[in-house]
Structure formats: C-alpha cells, structure tokens
Amino acid sequence: MKTQGQGQSKRKQLHHPLSPHSNPFDILTEEIVCNILDHLHDDPFATKSFSLTCKSFYFIESRHRRILKPLRPDLLPRTFHRYPFVSHLDLSLCPRVDDPTLNDLSSTWKATLRSINLSRSRFFTNAGLSSLFINCSGLVEVDLCNATHLTDLAASAIAEAKNLERLSLARCKLITDMGIGCIAVGCRKLKSLCLKWCLRVGDLGVQLIALKCKQIRSLDLSYLPITEKCLKSVIRLQHLEDLILEGCHGIDDDGLSTLEQSQSCKSLKMLNLSNCQNVTHTGLSALINGTEQLQQIILAYGSSVSQKILKVTSDLAKCLLTYSKLQSIKLDGCIITWSGIKAMASLDAPFKELSFSKCLGLTDDGLSFLVQSQKDLRKLDITCCRKITYNSIDSVTSSCTSLTSLRMESCSLVPKEAFVLIGERCPFLEELDVTDNEIDDEGLKSISRCSKLSILKLGICSNISDEGLAKFGSCCPLLKELDLYRSIAISDAGIAAIADGCPALEMINIAYNDKITDNSLISLSKCRMLKALEIRGCLGVSSIGLSAIAVGCKQLTVLDIKKCFNIHDNGMLLLAQFSQNLKQINLSYCSVTDVGLVALASLSRLQNMTILHLAGLTPNGLAAALLACRALTKVKLHASFRPLLSQSILGHMEAHGCVFHWRHKAFQKEMDPKGWKLHFGRSSSEVP
C-alpha cells in the first residue's frame, strides 16, 4: 500500500505542469485508479491491458484485485505474489485441483480468502480440505458441488470452518448422516446449505443440521430419502426463508399431517415441492400452516407414469387463501381444473409471477378469468398450453399490461392476429418466447414497439421474414439474445438489420436456415459483445464468414458449426489467432483436418469440444490436439477413435481432469434427420 508521504507527493503533482519526460498517468491518485478498475471487472482483457499501461497501474491493479478465476491450476503459483489480497477464488475452470494446490493457496491467502468454488474440481481429498479450512479461518462460502469422491472424512474437515455461512454439497453422494453431523456441530454459523442428491443423507443428518445450525435461512434437501421426521425439526428454524423439497418421495400427506401446528415456520418465504408425488393440498396445508411471509410456491411436474399428476383444484387454492404476501406460483405440468382457477382468482394476493408450462386443462375461459384479477402480473409462462387461443392472449394483454416476461412456446391454436396485441398492449416486455407459433411479420412489427426486449425466441416461426426482422432490429437496441432456429424464411438481409440495430447482442441461433450465407456472419462480426453463435446446418456458410466472426467478435465463448461442410482449416486458424475467449465448440461434420484442430488446441480457454465425423482427422492429429489443449475438461468423440489412441494419452488427459464421452452415432447425411422435434424434445405421440 502507498505511504502517507507517497500520497502527498502524488497529490502535489496535480498542481504542477507535466515535464516533457514525465508519465501523464502519474497525476492520477490511487483512489482514482481503483475507481477505474471497478468499472473494468467484467472484461479481463481490459483489466490486463490497463495494468500493462505503466508500472504504477500494474502495482495498483495487483493489490486491487479481489476476485480470481484461473484457467488452470498450474497458473496459480504465478498469482500468489502478484495478487496478495484475493478474497473470492473460483476454481470451477480447473478440473484438477490436488491437495498440494489447496495447501499452497490456503497458505498464501489465509488472511484474505472468504469464498472458494471447487464445484468442477477433483483430485483433492480430505487432507487438502483440512489444510484449506484450518489455514483460511475466515472462509464464509464454499462450493463443493459434484465432488462425488468425497466421504465423511471430507465432511469432518469441512467442520473445521467455524465461520462458514454458505455451503453447497450437491451430488456428494458418499457423504452420510455421520458426515453431516460433523458439519452441524462444527459449522454453527451456516445460513445456506445445499444437500441436493446427497443420497446417503437421511432424516438423522437433516435433524442434526436443524438442531445445531439455528441461523439457517436456505435449505435444499432435493431428492433426499427423508420423511416428515426431520421436517419436525426443520420447521422450528426461526430464520428459515427458502425450503426446497423437490423429489422427496418419502414425504407424504399422512406424515405431514403429524406436524405440530404450534411449530410452524413463520419466516418461510419460498417452498418448492416439485415432484413430490405423494403430497396433495392436504399435506401442503399442513406444511405451510402458520407461515406469515410466504411469497413463492413451486408445485411443478407430477409423474405421468404413476398417474399422480397434481391437480389444481379448489381445495389446493383454498389452502393458500390466507397468504396475502404470495407473489409467485409455479404449477408446471399440473392438471388445471375450472374450480381451481376460480379459487386462485379469489386469492387476496398480488401475483407477480404465474407459471402453467405444459399444464393440462388450461383453457381460454380459465386463463381469461384468472388474469382479470392480476393487474400487477409481471411474468407469465403458458408454454405448450395447446388449448388456448386468441381469446386468452386478448385477455392477458388487456389485463396484464405491465408484463416483463411472456413465454408461450408451442401454443399452436393461437392465430397470427393475436401477436399484434402483444406489441400494442405490453410495452414493458423484456423477454418473449413465441417459438413454434404462427407469428408473422405484422406481429413482429408490432412487437418491435417493446423497446426494452432483451430476449426474443422465434425458433420454428416460418411466417416471419426479413421484413419483420428489419423493423424489429431498428426499434429494439437492447436485444441480447435472439433465437431464429429453423425460421426458414430468414436471409442475410434480416440478420444484417439485427446486427446494425442491436449492438448489445450476445447470443444468436440461426441454425438450419438455408438462406444464411457468409454475408450474415460478416454482418454479425460488428456485434462486439457476441458470446454465443449457433450456425449448425447452414450450408451457405464457409470459412470466410467464420473468419470475420473470429476477427470481430473477441468475446465469443460458445460456437456451434456442426454440419457447416464448407468450414475448413482456414477458419480454425483465424479462431486460434483471435478467439482467445472461446470455451466450447462443436466441429462435427465440418471439413476440418489435423491442421485446423491442432491450431484450435492452442486456445488457452478451450474446455469443451465435440468432434464427430471429421473426415480429415487422423488418430495422430487428434492425439496432438488433445495434448496441446491444456484446459480441456470434456471431449465428445466417435467410439472408433478409442482403440486408435494410446492408453498413455487417454490416461494423461484423464489425470488432468478431462472426461471423454464416446459416441457410436452413425454418419448422418440428412441435415436434421429427426426434424425440429428432436431439438425441442417433443415426440410424435405427444397429445396436443
């Protein structure tokens, strides 16, 4: 840090003219420089360039940085001296983090480290965790999701973190009640705990958490083999706000009815009972009885296999009658009844969000009746509600003029005229999903009035053309995400209009549109913020267009060029030179050879590759690329390559945290053999 004398000297320079040989940046105080750095934290390349401006900036930046997200663990030693005050360390990009690494980093930042993310890391043991928690006594947040190798010994090491407030152990499937008991005793300050998919944790472990960790505010018990026994302790938590019981099949109405009414959780704000197939309105009523702050209830997706789909009846709605602060109800996949809709409409609650995705039984009469009393509704999801028509959209747009999000994918009976109403009546929309609908250019022109739109999904909308896109592009400059998957009337002119009018664009999907050529990619290269591009199956695209993207879109992180047969090694060479942020790529069926793949492997951030059916790829070229790509965590390859790669290479890659997914897929000549139904997970047997 700067001494007082140095600070005074620096300030004195502000009152003197610069000499011909002085550094103009020396007139800036450290406080000003730190304020500049605060505005650059979202762009690592900008921060790096700034620190290289002069020695003083380099020195200040090294001491200003608090958040660190290294690409590989072998880069960590370089940061120990450079960044002495790191408080938040994200190692989610480092698949291999071993005990010596944890020991070194905990020794370096023992006085400053407050948060660490190990959610994608492996190879460390309880010994490394013990070193981490003993050295870094100030840790308040730890993410150990997906650490499927950790056992109760690791849990006992976690118990050393006496100041821990937030802990995630999702999918730590070897930890048992005994380990959770150690954490409960040692980590008394816990406020947030996620035990999702910890299949060996039962009632005893959850009871111990509830008894020892009295400050718990958020508790995720999804898919645990628990019953009402532990809930008797859980509902006594005085500060509990969020309770997630998704997929807890051991919880049923009979058990919940035994809960003591005098011990209700008065602080509860959010309850998730999704996929709890044995809970009806009876059990729900018993569980939430006496809560005073309830704001959100999620009761999504019953099981069609067991015929236990939750029915939204008047009884279910009536048990919510006294909760005046309720703002959000999600009933995705449930069966809607007319009596249930009427009862919901009578609730004295100012709903801000309603979700009926894939709900059977939702009709025009029901939805229209419900929204009449919901003038303040902000978010509505009616995805795949195939019985609603123009009348529903008329009622929704008339009553809910403050909507910010409307999702209505595959509402097949809604005519094109209805989409005009959305633009005329809902000016505050920020998200709109009309995938697989009858919207046409007139509807899209009307929607262009929604100037705040940042997300627009128009996949499989064959009635829209460049004319509608041109109008939209000229009116919605805040657009960040655009999906035009299989919108087959779109061509280069429409994409050019979007590129010109939407400079904030971050994601675009134009897959399987045969009118798209290199001109579209050249237009999109002006979108400097573009991070994700999907051009799968665009036959008119070549390495020329891809090269333009590589040069212009330096923020690109995700690229799908599957079945772009005219993209070859030249495109890969430009990506390797300019796309330093690229993390994920699908090259399947392209005309890329060993040369292009080896060049691509030089990208230091590349983590995920799908490489199927590259005719020009040889085992030697593949081996060279794999060894050169040091950050890889996931590779999809055709199974025919498995016996052709040496075991030493496969072992080396796996030891560094790379996971191979071997596919047996036959070569497909068709562009999209199963059509758009494959893309959206629909089946021909689905009932409309």
Side-chain angles (χ1 to χ4, degrees):
M1 296 295 289
K2 181 177 58 180
T3 64
Q4 183 176 1
Q6 288 174 322
Q8 292 174 347
S9 175
K10 190 79 72 176
R11 286 189 291 272
K12 287 179 181 179
Q13 293 180 25
L14 295 172
H15 303 288
H16 296 282
L18 293 172
S19 66
H21 303 291
S22 63
N23 187 335
F25 296 114
D26 285 341
I27 66 172
L28 301 177
T29 65
E30 184 171 327
E31 182 181 2
I32 293 175
V33 175
C34 288
N35 285 334
I36 295 173
L37 286 169
D38 287 337
H39 288 82
L40 298 179
H41 68 278
D42 289 333
D43 186 350
F45 287 98
T47 303
K48 182 178 180 180
S49 299
F50 186 86
S51 68
L52 296 176
T53 303
C54 60
K55 288 184 178 180
S56 61
F57 282 16
Y58 184 90
F59 177 83
I60 294 172
E61 192 273 333
S62 69
R63 280 148 182 75
H64 175 269
R65 185 183 287 268
R66 297 294 183 269
I67 301 174
L68 193 63
K69 189 175 183 179
L71 296 174
R72 304 188 308 271
D74 57 285
L75 298 177
L76 274 173
R78 307 181 195 177
T79 66
F80 290 157
H81 176 72
R82 172 77 193 276
Y83 303 113
F85 301 117
V86 169
S87 58
H88 301 279
L89 181 60
D90 187 346
L91 296 176
S92 60
L93 298 181
C94 302
R96 183 178 180 87
V97 176
D98 53 22
D99 290 345
T101 301
L102 288 181
N103 185 60
D104 291 343
L105 68 87
S106 63
S107 298
T108 301
W109 294 308
K110 60 183 178 182
T112 61
L113 197 61
R114 297 292 179 268
S115 169
I116 186 168
N117 185 342
L118 293 163
S119 62
R120 298 292 177 183
S121 306
R122 291 174 289 158
F123 299 99
F124 58 86
T125 69
N126 57 290
L129 289 177
S130 181
S131 174
L132 173 67
F133 294 123
I134 291 175
N135 288 335
C136 302
S137 58
L139 272 172
V140 296
E141 181 174 12
V142 176
D143 190 341
L144 291 168
C145 287
N146 306 303
T148 55
H149 62 288
L150 295 183
T151 65
D152 287 339
L153 289 176
S156 64
I158 297 171
E160 299 290 340
K162 306 300 182 184
N163 292 307
L164 200 60
E165 296 181 3
R166 296 177 294 278
L167 174 63
S168 182
L169 295 173
R171 295 184 180 84
C172 292
K173 297 181 180 181
L174 298 182
I175 293 180
T176 70
D177 289 335
M178 183 178 296
I180 297 300
C182 293
I183 293 173
V185 172
C187 306
R188 301 292 186 95
K189 296 182 180 180
L190 273 180
K191 295 180 180 179
S192 176
L193 177 62
C194 177
L195 296 175
K196 185 175 183 178
W197 287 110
C198 292
L199 300 180
R200 298 191 182 187
V201 176
D203 287 326
L204 178 59
V206 176
Q207 281 178 319
L208 290 172
I209 289 292
L211 291 173
K212 299 295 183 180
C213 304
K214 298 295 186 181
Q215 297 184 42
I216 287 283
R217 285 165 170 74
S218 177
L219 188 58
D220 188 344
L221 305 176
S222 299
Y223 299 99
L224 298 193
I226 58 175
T227 69
E228 76 283 350
K229 293 179 181 178
C230 68
L231 294 183
K232 294 178 180 179
S233 300
V234 169
I235 62 174
R236 293 190 179 98
L237 290 168
Q238 296 182 2
H239 304 289
L240 185 64
E241 296 180 355
D242 299 335
L243 178 59
I244 305 175
L245 299 171
E246 181 178 354
C248 293
H249 302 310
I251 298 175
D252 57 26
D253 288 346
D254 292 338
L256 292 177
S257 64
T258 65
L259 299 179
E260 298 179 20
Q261 296 185 3
S262 59
Q263 298 295 332
S264 60
C265 188
K266 292 181 170 55
S267 59
L268 193 65
K269 293 182 179 180
M270 189 278 286
L271 176 64
N272 187 342
L273 284 171
S274 298
N275 285 313
C276 289
Q277 300 171 357
N278 299 315
V279 178
T280 68
H281 69 276
T282 304
L284 174 64
S285 181
L287 184 57
I288 64 176
N289 180 61
T291 59
E292 300 173 350
Q293 306 297 324
L294 196 61
Q295 296 178 7
Q296 182 179 38
I297 286 184
I298 305 174
L299 303 170
Y301 294 116
S303 171
S304 58
V305 176
S306 63
Q307 301 301 316
K308 291 185 177 180
I309 301 177
L310 182 66
K311 286 188 176 182
V312 180
T313 63
S314 59
D315 290 330
L316 177 63
K318 286 177 181 177
C319 75
L320 305 175
L321 197 59
T322 60
Y323 302 98
S324 59
K325 296 184 179 181
L326 196 60
Q327 297 181 8
S328 172
I329 296 183
K330 296 185 178 183
L331 300 168
D332 303 342
C334 297
I335 297 176
I336 307 297
T337 67
W338 173 243
S339 63
I341 285 290
K342 287 196 297 183
M344 285 183 64
S346 66
L347 296 178
D348 184 21
F351 288 125
K352 298 294 179 63
E353 179 178 17
L354 290 172
S355 184
F356 298 107
S357 176
K358 300 180 181 178
C359 282
L360 300 176
L362 187 66
T363 63
D364 282 341
D365 290 341
L367 185 58
S368 299
F369 184 78
L370 177 60
V371 296
Q372 289 177 8
S373 60
Q374 303 301 328
K375 305 295 184 182
D376 295 324
L377 194 66
R378 298 292 189 271
K379 296 182 178 181
L380 177 64
D381 190 342
I382 49 176
T383 298
C384 295
C385 291
R386 304 185 191 280
K387 293 184 178 180
I388 66 171
T389 69
Y390 178 96
N391 294 335
S392 286
I393 304 304
D394 185 21
S395 298
V396 168
T397 55
S398 295
S399 301
C400 309
T401 56
S402 297
L403 277 178
T404 59
S405 175
L406 176 59
R407 298 179 181 179
M408 49 178 296
E409 175 188 340
S410 298
C411 292
S412 52
L413 295 183
V414 176
K416 60 184 181 181
E417 292 81 10
F419 297 95
V420 175
L421 303 179
I422 297 175
E424 291 177 345
R425 300 172 180 175
C426 300
F428 304 109
L429 274 178
E430 299 173 10
E431 176 185 14
L432 178 62
D433 185 351
V434 290
T435 301
D436 187 21
N437 274 291
E438 296 299 319
I439 183 173
D440 61 4
D441 284 338
E442 293 306 311
L444 189 53
K445 290 177 183 178
S446 178
I447 288 170
S448 68
R449 302 178 189 181
C450 306
S451 58
K452 295 184 178 181
L453 267 175
S454 62
I455 299 175
L456 178 61
K457 297 186 179 182
L458 295 167
I460 323 176
C461 293
S462 57
N463 296 327
I464 62 170
S465 70
D466 295 337
E467 181 182 347
L469 270 190
K471 177 62 176 178
F472 182 86
S474 65
C475 299
C476 299
L478 301 181
L479 190 69
K480 292 184 177 181
E481 181 177 336
L482 178 62
D483 188 350
L484 294 168
Y485 171 86
R486 291 184 67 89
S487 294
I488 55 177
I490 298 299
S491 72
D492 293 334
I495 301 302
I498 292 295
D500 290 337
C502 307
L505 193 67
E506 296 181 2
M507 178 273 172
I508 185 168
N509 183 348
I510 48 178
Y512 296 113
N513 289 310
D514 56 10
K515 296 181 181 179
I516 297 297
T517 72
D518 286 333
N519 290 331
S520 286
L521 299 193
I522 293 171
S523 297
L524 289 172
S525 67
K526 295 180 291 187
C527 300
R528 305 302 186 189
M529 303 303 294
L530 193 66
K531 296 178 180 178
L533 172 64
E534 182 165 349
I535 52 176
R536 176 183 299 205
C538 292
L539 300 183
V541 167
S542 73
S543 292
I544 296 174
L546 184 60
S547 297
I549 290 291
V551 174
C553 305
K554 302 293 179 59
Q555 300 298 320
L556 193 68
T557 60
V558 179
L559 177 63
D560 189 338
I561 53 176
K562 179 180 178 180
K563 294 191 176 181
C564 292
F565 303 118
N566 295 318
I567 290 180
H568 45 67
D569 291 340
N570 288 348
M572 299 303 103
L573 294 174
L574 270 294
L575 283 176
Q577 183 177 355
F578 294 102
S579 299
Q580 297 299 312
N581 276 314
L582 193 64
K583 296 180 181 178
Q584 178 178 325
I585 188 169
N586 187 340
L587 295 167
S588 301
Y589 296 89
C590 292
S591 300
V592 175
T593 70
D594 295 347
V595 174
L597 192 62
V598 171
L600 199 64
S602 65
L603 293 172
S604 61
R605 294 172 180 261
L606 190 60
Q607 293 181 287
N608 189 327
M609 288 199 298
T610 300
I611 318 169
L612 299 174
H613 300 295
L614 294 187
L617 183 63
T618 68
N620 288 338
L622 176 59
L626 291 175
L627 292 174
C629 199
R630 303 177 63 185
L632 274 182
T633 61
K634 182 179 179 181
V635 182
K636 289 184 180 180
L637 288 167
H638 196 274
S640 61
F641 274 105
R642 189 167 193 170
L644 303 178
L645 294 173
S646 71
Q647 288 302 312
S648 60
I649 291 177
L650 295 177
H652 172 80
M653 296 299 297
E654 290 171 349
H656 284 77
C658 183
V659 177
F660 288 94
H661 294 263
W662 303 100
R663 296 290 183 261
H664 295 271
K665 294 177 67 174
F667 185 88
Q668 296 173 345
K669 293 183 179 180
E670 300 89 346
M671 288 304 302
D672 193 7
K674 294 187 180 180
W676 58 268
K677 293 182 180 180
L678 176 64
H679 183 76
F680 285 92
R682 300 173 67 186
S683 65
S684 58
S685 61
E686 183 174 332
V687 179

